[in-house]
Amino acid sequence: MRQRRISAPAIRIFAALLGALLMSGCGFQLRGTLQLDNALSPLAITGLPQGNELVVDLRRRVAAQNLQLTEDLTAAHTVIILADEHIDRVVTAVGPDGRAREYRALYTLNFRATRDNGTRLETQKLSLYRDFAFAPGQVLAAGNEEALLQKEMQHEAAYTILRALEALGGRAAATRETAP
């Protein structure tokens, strides 16, 4: 009896299909895009200076959702309150010479949101970190890497805040639908 050999491309295709089947079966889903409720508009962001990287990113992302921004807290339907932003770093590894070889960049922030209809998002503490290596001969490069990681963490924080706001808008919509 002659044995049939399965080709390598066929095995790869089968493995990819099996992986896709397993991921869809476990409920895995890509993040997708933000869908902020228009009822959140106009929206105000307060608590940090307007030139802060996080505030600038939040404002840009909110504007991309075609929501109106306002500086007037009394006119806003939704207010995002940002507080206690801290950027820090700690040593996570030391070389045999006693010098730092690896750092952890830390970013923490408290935020909450309130709606004029009484719906609110309680204070959330957001903590993000990134590890990076430090080579004593490349001080400038390490400083640039740390700055880039901090900016990346602020962008991730902005996305996380808007995801929470998306849920807040969804809760308000659900409340409107079930109200008599």
Side-chain angles (χ1 to χ4, degrees):
M1 185 170 160
R2 219 171 130 197
Q3 289 184 344
R4 284 184 99 187
R5 292 191 139 212
I6 300 174
S7 68
I11 291 173
R12 281 190 222 119
I13 291 171
F14 177 73
L17 289 173
L18 181 63
L21 180 66
L22 289 173
M23 283 196 287
S24 67
C26 74
F28 175 79
Q29 191 174 14
L30 292 174
R31 264 196 304 208
T33 59
L34 285 170
Q35 297 293 322
L36 295 178
D37 189 356
N38 287 335
L40 296 171
S41 188
L43 187 134
I45 301 169
T46 186
L48 294 177
Q50 293 301 311
N52 178 289
E53 183 74 32
L54 174 64
V55 174
V56 169
D57 195 27
L58 276 171
R59 293 177 70 80
R60 182 182 54 78
R61 290 174 188 244
V62 166
Q65 291 285 316
N66 295 320
L67 296 180
Q68 182 184 0
L69 286 161
T70 182
E71 301 294 323
D72 184 6
L73 298 179
T74 58
H77 289 302
T78 307
V79 178
I80 301 173
I81 300 109
L82 307 170
D84 302 325
E85 180 186 45
H86 294 286
I87 299 172
D88 202 4
R89 71 175 176 171
V90 295
V91 176
T92 57
V94 178
D97 58 355
R99 293 186 179 172
R101 294 287 183 197
E102 191 171 302
Y103 287 97
R104 175 168 287 168
L106 303 167
Y107 181 82
T108 57
L109 173 78
N110 291 331
F111 71 94
R112 63 188 170 97
T114 58
R115 298 272 316 267
D116 60 352
N117 67 1
T119 310
R120 60 189 212 169
L121 180 65
E122 295 299 326
T123 300
Q124 307 279 317
K125 181 173 185 168
L126 180 62
S127 297
L128 302 169
Y129 68 89
R130 300 286 186 277
D131 293 330
F132 65 98
F134 177 77
Q138 299 175 342
V139 176
L140 185 59
N144 289 341
E145 182 180 7
E146 183 178 7
L148 185 65
L149 290 174
Q150 288 173 355
K151 193 171 186 175
E152 176 189 313
M153 289 187 291
Q154 286 175 318
H155 290 306
E156 186 175 338
Y159 188 80
T160 302
I161 291 167
L162 292 181
R163 276 285 182 202
L165 201 60
E166 180 181 43
L168 179 68
R171 270 189 280 167
T175 304
R176 285 193 305 266
E177 289 172 6
T178 59

